[in-house]
Amino acid sequence: MTLSLALVLSSCGDGNGDGSGSGTGAKSEIIAIAADPLEYINPLNDNGSPGIQVAMAMFSPLVTTDPNTGKTVNVMAESVTPDKTSQTWTVKLKAGNTFQNGQPLTAKDYVDSWNLTAQGSNAWKNNGFFSKVDGYDELNPPTPDGATPKPTAVKAMSGLKLIDDLTFSVKLKVPFSQFGLTLQYLGLAPLPEEVRKNPDAYKRKPIGNGAYKLDGEWNAGEDIKLVKWDGYKGPNAPEADSITYRFIPNADTAYNEFLAGTVDFVDVPPTKIKTFKTDAPDGWVTGVSSGANYLVMPAWDQRFKNPKLRHAFSMAIDRKAFADLVGLATPASGLIAPDMNGYREGACKYCSFDAAKAKQLLQEAGGFSGPLNINYNTSSATGQIFAEAIGNMLRQNLGLEVKYTGKQGSEIGELADTRKLDGLRFSGWGHDYPSIEDYLTPMFKSNGDANFSGYSNPALDKVLAQGDAEPDPEKAIAIYQQAEDIALEDMPLIPLYTKSNAYLHSAKIEPRVSKYVGVSALYATFK
């Protein structure tokens, strides 16, 4: 399942730890990441959880969420100030910060880095994050769906203006009251001038502005070893002197590495949800994930065009039974994570299990033509199990013929991006910044960065724009909820569940646990 970032969590329980880990030194730790090794480190061109986890150590955002209060606090920014309409924002940087190559950190670094990302022909993954900035369209000409835009003569967004060495302004196409919150996303991190001149040359030797830097060379397939950077002047530096990120593609193998004492922190895979407390009785922590998981309906396939068919599929799913299978999971009743301000219990009127109603809706939709294909990720130990569980419900409750196709997650994503994927797939989302808007714009706006289904509805786009333009936060939430209602009625994504995540940690560390920013090994304390 695809997640934009490491999901934000809130604490549900804790243990004291009994493993030893294998890091060297009193304050070193090895963090296991159950994923293929990274090909590069560039937060402006990465919206996946593994890369962002590493980038969090090497790059510092403009602002962040305080783990104790949940309030937005400045990091690299001295101030972030909107005008009366929330359409033009002025960002002033703190003086004295530098990159890890010694170059002073200036406003120009942000402006030039953002323009580089917004240039459509570069095809960087966080390009769409700048779609609200004035002048973005000139860098992203209309392009056939799934194709990369051609280079343009224009290389800079007109909405970005340098004011002085430490100050720049951002003019948006329309007012956007949530813009200040977005500045904590690492997809907006600055790159130094030498990296901007030749990004490909620095794929494996990134130069950040965060608390940690690479410790020596990093080659393909190797662990990523970081050490504290003495030049970091930002607030709240982590405690560890060195951190190693170890990539282990199989989640069960990563889990077993922890039990063998070779790593200090690991996610508990779905296959171990029933046993992790006894496997490591004094070294576990759980947290409710501020994310949601969905079944994606392909908007490009005419067989799924009728909303009643999508409602039928949704009501044919017994979410309680499926959540029990997943483990530490709760049936979803909307598109928004439960801990978000604006979440509504029971927002989805088609998420209650009702086999008879589901069959009736399918008949009213004219039935479904041909076998239904469900795609699953073969690198996940539970991918096929979950696919077959959903497939059996649709087969039994709707009388459908169901087949299953297993592929690597990257291949599934590529086929979906080019509108060549046949059938359903699973997806998930965790917010980039704490706003209900970040669950709606990426996945349901017509040009959203994470529009998994290829969905487009001008009416929803219009309501999102109204929410963006509303300066009062509570009034904006009410408008965004209207957009959620439209998406739930159209149902390009079927909500499935939210879940608690579990982690194991060694005896020498205590992960930071915050209901606002989650469980973090990066910010662990040492015993």
Side-chain angles (χ1 to χ4, degrees):
M1 299 186 182
T2 306
L3 293 183
S4 171
L5 289 175
L7 297 181
V8 178
L9 313 169
S10 58
S11 172
C12 290
D14 197 9
N16 294 322
D18 64 353
S20 61
S22 62
T24 58
K27 292 188 177 181
S28 65
E29 60 179 327
I30 298 177
I31 300 172
I33 298 180
D36 291 327
L38 294 181
E39 292 298 320
Y40 58 85
I41 298 173
N42 178 356
L44 293 162
N45 189 25
D46 197 345
N47 55 18
S49 174
I52 293 298
Q53 286 187 62
V54 176
M56 287 175 67
M58 301 186 72
F59 294 84
S60 287
L62 287 163
V63 301
T64 193
T65 297
D66 185 282
N68 299 313
T69 66
K71 296 183 181 298
T72 301
V73 293
N74 293 327
V75 183
M76 293 291 108
E78 180 69 40
S79 61
V80 177
T81 309
D83 65 3
K84 292 182 179 180
T85 66
S86 294
Q87 186 167 355
T88 298
W89 294 71
T90 301
V91 179
K92 184 175 180 60
L93 303 178
K94 294 177 179 177
N97 287 304
T98 70
F99 288 99
Q100 292 161 357
N101 63 353
Q103 178 198 315
L105 178 63
T106 69
K108 188 176 187 298
D109 296 308
Y110 284 92
V111 169
D112 288 355
S113 297
W114 292 8
N115 281 325
L116 188 66
T117 311
Q119 185 72 47
S121 58
N122 290 329
W124 282 12
K125 293 179 180 178
N126 286 314
N127 168 281
F129 216 85
F130 300 95
S131 62
K132 290 184 171 71
V133 179
D134 227 11
Y136 170 87
D137 294 340
E138 283 71 21
L139 278 66
N140 295 269
T143 305
D145 197 14
T148 299
K150 295 181 180 180
T152 59
V154 178
K155 303 297 182 185
M157 293 180 286
S158 58
L160 296 182
K161 299 291 185 184
L162 282 172
I163 297 175
D164 58 42
D165 285 349
L166 294 177
T167 313
F168 66 100
S169 64
V170 186
K171 183 182 179 183
L172 308 175
K173 298 175 188 175
V174 294
F176 182 37
S177 59
Q178 310 295 300
F179 183 74
L181 290 174
T182 74
L183 298 181
Q184 61 190 279
Y185 180 43
L186 279 176
L188 307 179
L191 300 177
E193 184 177 9
E194 67 176 279
V195 175
R196 299 195 302 269
K197 288 180 177 178
N198 189 1
D200 286 345
Y202 289 87
K203 283 184 175 181
R204 292 195 163 272
K205 47 179 182 179
I207 300 171
N209 66 321
Y212 294 88
K213 65 178 183 178
L214 279 179
D215 183 15
E217 291 188 359
W218 168 47
N219 298 309
E222 293 181 348
D223 295 347
I224 297 176
K225 300 178 180 179
L226 307 178
V227 293
K228 259 189 178 177
W229 174 48
D230 292 338
Y232 179 69
K233 298 179 181 178
N236 305 319
E239 189 173 318
D241 295 315
S242 64
I243 297 174
T244 298
Y245 289 95
R246 179 164 296 168
F247 292 85
I248 305 172
N250 185 284
D252 285 348
T253 301
Y255 183 87
N256 290 332
E257 286 291 321
F258 174 86
L259 297 182
T262 63
V263 300
D264 294 297
F265 185 86
V266 69
D267 290 24
V268 174
T271 54
K272 305 297 183 181
I273 289 298
K274 308 293 185 184
T275 63
F276 74 90
K277 292 182 181 180
T278 54
D279 289 342
D282 298 314
W284 58 268
V285 60
T286 63
V288 177
S289 167
S290 185
N293 295 271
Y294 314 94
L295 191 63
V296 181
M297 313 291 281
W300 57 86
D301 189 333
Q302 291 299 306
R303 296 179 301 167
F304 297 90
K305 187 175 182 179
N306 194 316
K308 286 187 176 181
L309 179 140
R310 301 194 289 272
H311 301 161
F313 278 34
S314 180
M315 298 190 77
I317 296 171
D318 184 342
R319 286 169 176 76
K320 176 62 169 61
F322 190 67
D324 289 344
L325 174 66
V326 171
L328 293 179
T330 302
S333 61
L335 297 167
I336 311 301
D339 64 338
M340 284 289 98
N341 191 9
Y343 168 80
R344 296 168 294 163
E345 180 71 31
C348 177
K349 61 184 178 182
Y350 303 111
C351 290
S352 299
F353 175 50
D354 188 333
K357 180 65 174 177
K359 189 169 291 186
Q360 176 189 336
L361 286 170
L362 183 63
Q363 291 174 346
E364 292 175 3
F368 184 79
S369 174
L372 172 70
N373 187 45
I374 301 179
N375 298 276
Y376 65 89
N377 187 348
T378 53
S379 63
S380 167
T382 56
Q384 184 173 354
I385 296 171
F386 291 172
E388 290 179 351
I390 293 294
N392 286 336
M393 293 178 189
L394 297 177
R395 178 177 54 81
Q396 294 169 5
N397 298 323
L398 295 178
L400 301 179
E401 178 186 352
V402 182
K403 64 178 184 177
Y404 309 94
T405 301
K407 297 180 183 295
Q408 289 291 319
S410 58
E411 185 178 358
I412 292 174
E414 183 177 344
L415 288 170
D417 289 344
T418 56
R419 309 299 185 249
K420 296 177 182 177
L421 187 70
D422 172 32
L424 310 181
R425 64 167 170 152
F426 295 96
S427 72
W429 185 253
H431 65 256
D432 302 316
Y433 46 91
S435 170
I436 181 177
E437 179 270 337
D438 193 43
Y439 280 82
L440 298 169
T441 297
M443 291 189 289
F444 302 103
K445 189 176 180 180
S446 295
N447 65 343
D449 276 351
N451 192 324
F452 302 119
S453 67
Y455 165 75
S456 178
N457 184 338
L460 185 144
D461 293 346
K462 182 179 179 180
V463 174
L464 282 177
Q466 292 171 351
D468 293 347
E470 174 52 60
D472 183 282
E474 294 305 315
K475 291 180 180 178
I477 286 173
I479 298 172
Y480 289 133
Q481 288 171 337
Q482 296 174 28
E484 183 188 10
D485 289 339
I486 295 173
L488 284 168
E489 189 64 33
D490 290 346
M491 199 160 272
L493 304 183
I494 294 176
L496 292 177
Y497 63 92
T498 58
K499 70 185 296 291
S500 294
N501 291 331
Y503 306 87
L504 303 184
H505 62 89
S506 68
K508 70 178 182 181
I509 66 169
E510 193 70 40
R512 186 183 71 183
V513 179
S514 163
K515 68 178 182 179
Y516 302 111
V517 296
V519 177
S520 173
L522 173 63
Y523 284 92
T525 56
F526 286 73
K527 300 177 182 179

